[in-house]
């Protein structure tokens, strides 16, 4: 079993509570808009980190993290990108590929809107952890935690951070 801590849209602000909430996680996944390389370094020093760059991320982060990341976690095919859209409204950059070769788990950020949607058309769970940073219009800052056990995605938790 792999325990995952998922966040996005930190925009250079890393709440100390992230370390407490992700203490028992095996990996941290960041769905883009880190904000600065110092934040990346803090997360990577804490736990193994996977991530994609977001639209606000500069050259240093873009040289370290890809725009799209597709990988296997245990037996789950995962695709992470910052601007991905939603079921029936996937971003044009990825739409053809996601329908031709769907992952089991699709993760995006960007909107600052927490979403958990199952796309029945392609049998894919879509997660957007919302925004963990203070920049943006969101009223609640959020993170997610979940487990991957073989081919199962389970025990999903939404964590609200203080304002």
């Amino acid at each position: 079993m792999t325990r995952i801590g998922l966040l996005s849209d930190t925009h250079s602000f890393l709440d100390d509570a992230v370390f407490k909430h992700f203490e028992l996680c095996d990996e941290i996944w960041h769905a883009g808009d880190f904000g600065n390389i110092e934040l990346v370094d803090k997360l990577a020093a804490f736990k193994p980190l996977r991530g994609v760059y977001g639209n606000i991320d500069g050259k240093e982060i873009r040289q370290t993290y890809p725009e799209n990341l597709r990988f296997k976690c245990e037996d789950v095919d995962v695709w992470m990108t910052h601007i991905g859209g939603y079921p029936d409204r996937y971003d044009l950059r990825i739409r053809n590929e996601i329908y031709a070769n769907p992952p089991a788990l699709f993760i995006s950020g960007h909107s600052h809107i927490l979403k958990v949607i199952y796309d029945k058309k392609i049998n894919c769970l879509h997660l957007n952890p919302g925004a963990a940073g203070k920049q943006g219009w969101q009223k609640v800052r959020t993170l997610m935690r979940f487990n991957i056990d073989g081919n199962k995605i389970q025990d999903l938790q939404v964590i609200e951070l203080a304002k």
Side-chain angles (χ1 to χ4, degrees):
M1 181 175 67
T2 307
R3 296 166 297 193
I4 308 300
L6 176 63
L7 73 165
S8 186
D9 295 279
T10 46
H11 290 264
S12 301
F13 176 77
L14 186 57
D15 194 313
D16 288 337
V18 169
F19 299 102
K20 178 185 81 159
H21 291 298
F22 290 173
E23 183 176 27
L24 298 178
C25 293
D26 299 305
E27 297 181 8
I28 297 174
W29 298 353
H30 195 296
D33 279 0
F34 289 95
N36 62 48
I37 200 70
E38 293 79 19
L39 185 144
V40 171
D41 293 342
K42 284 180 188 175
L43 286 174
F46 178 60
K47 298 283 179 173
L49 177 64
R50 296 181 195 250
V52 293
Y53 72 76
N55 56 295
I56 68 135
D57 290 322
K59 182 179 179 182
E60 199 169 8
I61 292 171
R62 289 173 187 244
Q63 289 176 331
T64 306
Y65 294 96
E67 179 179 19
N68 296 294
L69 181 62
R70 190 138 187 192
F71 60 97
K72 283 274 222 181
C73 180
E74 300 210 11
D75 297 326
V76 174
D77 181 14
V78 180
W79 184 347
M80 184 166 29
T81 192
H82 184 61
I83 302 174
Y86 299 103
D88 292 324
R89 297 179 55 211
Y90 291 110
D91 189 83
L92 290 174
R93 296 171 304 107
I94 58 131
R95 183 177 299 153
N96 291 340
E97 177 66 19
I98 202 164
Y99 286 125
N101 186 18
L105 176 58
F106 182 73
I107 297 169
S108 65
H110 185 63
S111 70
H112 293 217
I113 300 170
L114 183 135
K115 290 201 183 218
V116 178
I117 304 169
Y118 188 75
D119 187 339
K120 293 177 189 171
K121 285 183 185 175
I122 59 172
N123 296 319
C124 173
L125 179 62
H126 174 92
L127 299 180
N128 184 323
K134 290 188 172 182
Q135 186 139 358
W137 55 270
Q138 74 277 357
K139 297 201 183 324
V140 179
R141 296 181 304 114
T142 53
L143 313 167
M144 288 180 173
R145 265 190 323 228
F146 59 95
N147 299 326
I148 294 180
D149 192 0
N151 66 355
K152 292 180 176 55
I153 303 160
Q154 56 194 22
D155 301 324
L156 177 66
Q157 299 173 304
V158 171
I159 301 161
E160 294 184 358
L161 299 171
K163 289 185 181 184

